[in-house]
């Protein structure tokens, strides 16, 4: 059995090598190249393909793999938004993903950035750079005094809630489908408006779908407490960035920690030294001392990367051996 893994980064190599050692029945080929119509030729003779990329898995690419009789595709990440699903069905692909690689990685980073907002660390760093070592007037707030409104009670939102409660914060959780265990624990609300009204911090943990597109917009900000802090570790499209800028200008929003942006593919994971971003909303947000932007790094931990590598390779091997895997994505 032969598998090719595309887009393998240096930080993934130790986990790939470990996996190969534990699975001697597989001939594993690795390349740093991303998978596209040209590099697809490297997969000739393979039974399965493993990949992780923002580049699209286009109809042409899937057709190319199909012509080489390759139909097992395992993604090392969650989303299949860059897969041409229609073509995947047409060419009889079986696709797996890694739906849960480390919720703690994202939740811990969300709390880290929330603490950075509360403790105003970006402001202190700016003062330090100017050799200004006075503490006033940048007085901080404590997490244990906050009401943290968590939108989305899935894998990550739940860990975020747990950690915030551990800090002594009051936590409210909203999910579009009620969660009986959270109702029982007394932290669930079925009213997003109530969560907006009560929270001093709002943290987003819902997927990017039609119903969540720009869910934080001018109307939503108007329902929140003045000076509310926003944490978005989920997807950029959840926030209307122009409305966020206006809310920061007016002080309605007191700060934001953003690991994701709506047009992040323009800049994230690229070396942009000496290049204009061509992303005015990013430039505006990024120069603010109460806005912390990170380039979609919340997931990027040893544990998460190991899980993404091992689980995708396991799933691909399973697809080849049995024709199925519990990580198979429904293409219906
Ligand atoms: P999940 O599927 O486990 O949980 C999502 C929750 O949101 C579910 O409980 C679902 O019922 C709920 N939901 C869906 N639509 C909703 C709506 N309209 N209103 C309220 N609740 C709604 O997902 P997860 O693994 O917890 O991931 C959450 C988000 O984090 C996703 O957007 C994901 O893409 C993002 N993410 C970001 C990173 C990063 O590095 N920044 C890494 C992984 C995941």
């Amino acid at each position: 059995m032969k598998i090719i893994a595309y887009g393998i980064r240096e930080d993934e190599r130790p986990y790939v090598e470990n996996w190969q050692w534990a699975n001697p029945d597989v001939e594993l080929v690795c390349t740093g190249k991303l998978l596209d119509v040209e590099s697809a030729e490297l997969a000739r003779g393979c039974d399965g393909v493993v990949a992780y990329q923002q580049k699209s898995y286009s109809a042409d690419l899937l057709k190319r793999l199909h012509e080489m009789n390759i139909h097992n595709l395992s993604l090392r990440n969650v989303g299949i938004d860059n897969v041409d699903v229609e073509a995947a069905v047409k060419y009889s692909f079986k696709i797996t993903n890694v739906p849960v690689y480390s919720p703690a990685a994202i939740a811990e980073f969300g709390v880290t950035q929330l603490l950075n907002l509360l403790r105003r660390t970006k402001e202190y760093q700016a003062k330090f750079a100017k050799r200004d070592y006075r503490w006033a007037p940048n007085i901080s707030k404590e997490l244990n005094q906050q009401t943290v409104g968590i939108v989305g009670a899935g894998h990550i939102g739940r860990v975020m809630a747990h950690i915030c409660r551990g800090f002594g914060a009051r936590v409210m959780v909203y999910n579009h489908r009620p969660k009986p265990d959270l109702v029982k624990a007394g932290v669930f609300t079925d009213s997003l408006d109530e969560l907006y009204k009560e929270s001093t911090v709002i943290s987003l943990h819902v997927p990017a779908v039609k119903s969540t597109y720009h869910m934080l917009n001018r109307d939503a900000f108007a329902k929140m407490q003045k000076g509310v802090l926003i944490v978005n570790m989920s997807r950029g499209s959840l926030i209307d960035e122009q409305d966020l800028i206006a809310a920061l200008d007016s002080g309605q929003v007191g700060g934001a920690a953003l690991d994701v942006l709506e047009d992040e593919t323009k800049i994230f994971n690229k070396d942009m030294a000496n290049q204009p971003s061509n992303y005015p909303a990013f430039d505006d947000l990024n120069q603010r001392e109460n806005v912390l932007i990170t380039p979609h790094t919340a997931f990027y931990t040893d544990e998460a990367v190991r899980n993404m590598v091992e689980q995708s390779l396991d799933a691909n091997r399973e697809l080849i051996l049995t024709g199925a895997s519990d990580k198979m994505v429904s293409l219906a």
Side-chain angles (χ1 to χ4, degrees), residues 101 154-156 175-176 206-207 211-212 233-235 259 296 299:
Y101 44 80
H155 295 96
I156 299 168
N175 201 76
H176 66 153
V206 289
S211 61
T212 59
M233 300 285 130
S234 289
R235 283 294 177 265
D259 190 48
H296 207 140
F299 82 98

Side-chain angles (χ1 to χ4, degrees), residues 78-79 99-103 105-106 109 151-158 174-177 179 192 204-212 215 232-235 238 259-260 296-300:
V78 184
V100 187
Y101 44 80
S102 179
I106 293 95
F109 193 62
V151 184
H155 295 96
I156 299 168
R158 281 172 178 270
Y174 169 82
N175 201 76
H176 66 153
R177 294 204 188 95
K179 300 284 178 182
L192 199 48
L204 301 177
H205 301 283
V206 289
V209 290
K210 211 171 162 191
S211 61
T212 59
M215 66 182 293
N232 187 8
M233 300 285 130
S234 289
R235 283 294 177 265
L238 305 182
D259 190 48
V260 285
H296 207 140
T297 51
F299 82 98
Y300 195 44

Side-chain angles (χ1 to χ4, degrees), residues 233-300:
M233 300 285 130
S234 289
R235 283 294 177 265
S237 65
L238 305 182
I239 299 182
D240 182 321
E241 286 167 1
Q242 293 308 326
D243 287 2
L244 175 62
I245 287 169
L248 285 160
D249 281 343
S250 71
Q252 178 62 15
V253 169
L258 310 171
D259 190 48
V260 285
L261 292 173
E262 188 151 24
D263 288 326
E264 65 183 42
T265 53
K266 279 187 180 173
I267 52 172
F268 285 0
N269 214 11
K270 290 182 181 159
D271 182 354
M272 301 285 289
N274 305 320
Q275 282 180 58
S277 74
N278 292 323
Y279 191 171
F282 164 74
D283 292 337
D284 182 310
L285 290 164
N286 196 34
Q287 48 84 32
R288 293 170 188 260
E289 288 189 342
N290 58 348
V291 177
L292 311 179
I293 303 185
T294 43
H296 207 140
T297 51
F299 82 98
Y300 195 44

